[in-house]
Amino acid sequence: MDASLDPRRAALKPRPLARRLLAWWDVNRRDLPWRAATGETPDPYRVWLSEVLLQQTTAAAVAPYYARFLERWPRVEALAAASLGEVIEAFAGLGYYARARNLHACAQEIARRGGRFPDSEAALRALPGVGAYTAAAVAAIAFGEPAAAVDGNVARIMARLAALPTPWPQARAAIAAATAALVPADRPGDFAQALMDLGAMVCRPRNPDCAACPLSADCAAARAGEAESYPRRAAAKARPVRFGAVYFALRGDGAFLARRRPPKGLLGATLELPGPPWRTAEDGGANAARPFAARWRRLPGEVEQVFTHFALRLTVYVATITAMPRDSGDLFWVAAADAPSAGFSSVMLKAIAHARGGAL
Ligand code: SF4
């Protein structure tokens, strides 16, 4: 473990730290729709669903999605019985569609087990698509196991408390171990949620409010007046660029042709405009092979999207057609009004807007 994270050293004293954090949380906790009221037993399905939806986004963005999911699929068995397309459609706009696939696969596994979630971190971790963070969060919040749920928010708090010189994510294992050493045996779920709330409300990425923080006495970064400079960042690597082309075939009533991507892989099972596979400059740049014959017109400009491991530049072609082409393969019509909620990824929604001259 990185020496500055070692709880045996002076800075991080688990019991007083947890006590201060929980006392703050008892007064300041956020009232979130997926949280059990004080004294109420948390429902594992709701905890799991909210944790999956919350990955990479904020509570405010998730709240309407959570409400719709719960209304449509109030129990895990109902979610398991939905089609993957329906689940992806319900995710539209929330991004990271691999989560929709994992959510669906996990619901089906739980339904096979009679609708009961396993009650330990290790068993939860073995479920399809359940990562270390989600397993620990559900184990702590729904089942009271002293598990340490470490996401980017918690890592930021820990890096600041210890003024950790190692950049995230190289410090991932050390931060997980240090967080685990702080979890109190009597209120592990509250501790996990208190850290989440501290990260969202006080120890924010920018402008952390150290004056209002219950942990300021424990915090090496705040003492040094350098809170915002933690976590340290690794030097950014240049992202490679991929190039692609998409084809927007428009009918007189505004409907256009789309297809569904394969279930596995990047943006798996989302809808897309047809086009050849994306290529790198080394592979010869954009391949403009057309999905079928039509009077295609290349639009000026490009659609750009940054993914985790590469940046994408898409050229958009448009054509007006009157009927489904004979060589249309797996294409189908999408009505103009359905486009925003049909299950297209963000990059495809951008491409559709580009093809329509800026409007979705
Ligand atoms: Fe974050 Fe400041 Fe609190 Fe340290 S004192 S944990 S930097 S808000």
Side-chain angles (χ1 to χ4, degrees), residues 13-27 182-187 190-191 194 214-215 218:
K13 294 214 170 7
R15 268 195 220 166
L17 186 150
R19 207 173 47 237
R20 278 194 282 277
L21 180 63
L22 288 168
W24 170 84
W25 192 67
D26 287 340
V27 177
L182 299 179
V183 178
D186 56 339
R187 296 178 65 186
D190 289 351
F191 183 80
L215 306 184
D218 307 272

Side-chain angles (χ1 to χ4, degrees), residues 34-37 40-47 140-143 193:
W34 43 86
R35 281 194 175 157
E40 199 186 331
T41 306
D43 173 0
Y45 172 56
R46 294 179 179 217
V47 175
I141 299 169
F143 299 112
Q193 294 175 94

Side-chain angles (χ1 to χ4, degrees), residues 153-252:
N153 285 310
V154 173
R156 180 174 64 253
I157 296 169
M158 294 300 294
R160 288 173 175 173
L161 287 173
L164 186 68
T166 316
W168 172 263
Q170 286 93 311
R172 187 185 296 269
I175 285 180
T179 311
L182 299 179
V183 178
D186 56 339
R187 296 178 65 186
D190 289 351
F191 183 80
Q193 294 175 94
L195 276 181
M196 292 171 196
D197 285 1
L198 191 78
M201 299 160 72
V202 179
C203 194
R204 302 170 296 241
R206 301 234 172 101
N207 299 320
D209 189 358
C210 300
C213 180
L215 306 184
S216 56
D218 307 272
C219 185
R223 273 198 302 276
E226 293 186 333
E228 223 173 302
S229 68
Y230 294 92
R232 298 293 198 210
R233 312 214 178 282
K237 274 196 247 152
R239 270 198 185 85
V241 180
R242 288 189 202 170
F243 302 88
V246 288
Y247 290 81
F248 187 76
L250 185 65
R251 201 168 61 183

